[in-house]
Amino acid sequence: MAKVNWESAKYDGEKGFWAVFPSLCKGCGLCIEKCPVKCITWSEDLGVYGTPRVEADMEKCIVCGICQMICPDCAIRVEKNK
């Protein structure tokens, strides 16, 4: 059975980083649906309601921030490298 990780899960890439906060992610999937490069998928770990949370493939991620803007629970943080 998957476990709940209450700390943020951070994914680093060349262009920046992507983080999800499992204590906020309810597993709605809006970020997966709206990602223009389809780099977000379901994780084995669980979110706040015992539903799967999301994770990002940083080799595909363009760090556009659409997922952060669309998330109704502010569970995602995206930051570009300077």
Side-chain angles (χ1 to χ4, degrees):
M1 182 173 174
K3 65 178 182 151
V4 178
N5 173 10
W6 296 111
E7 296 177 22
S8 69
K10 186 176 174 187
Y11 303 87
D12 290 304
E14 266 185 45
K15 298 174 187 163
F17 78 83
W18 189 97
V20 63
F21 299 90
S23 61
L24 298 173
C25 180
K26 65 183 175 194
C28 68
L30 284 173
C31 55
I32 294 173
E33 186 178 316
K34 299 296 182 181
C35 179
V37 293
K38 305 300 180 202
C39 71
I40 304 171
T41 58
W42 295 111
S43 173
E44 295 274 325
D45 292 335
L46 303 178
V48 68
Y49 296 113
T51 56
R53 66 166 180 82
V54 294
E55 61 187 8
D57 179 347
M58 291 309 291
E59 289 187 21
K60 294 180 184 175
C61 183
I62 58 174
V63 197
C64 66
I66 291 173
C67 54
Q68 178 176 293
M69 290 185 283
I70 201 75
C71 181
D73 301 303
C74 301
I76 297 173
R77 177 156 183 231
V78 179
E79 192 170 311
K80 287 185 180 184
N81 288 337
K82 295 181 182 186

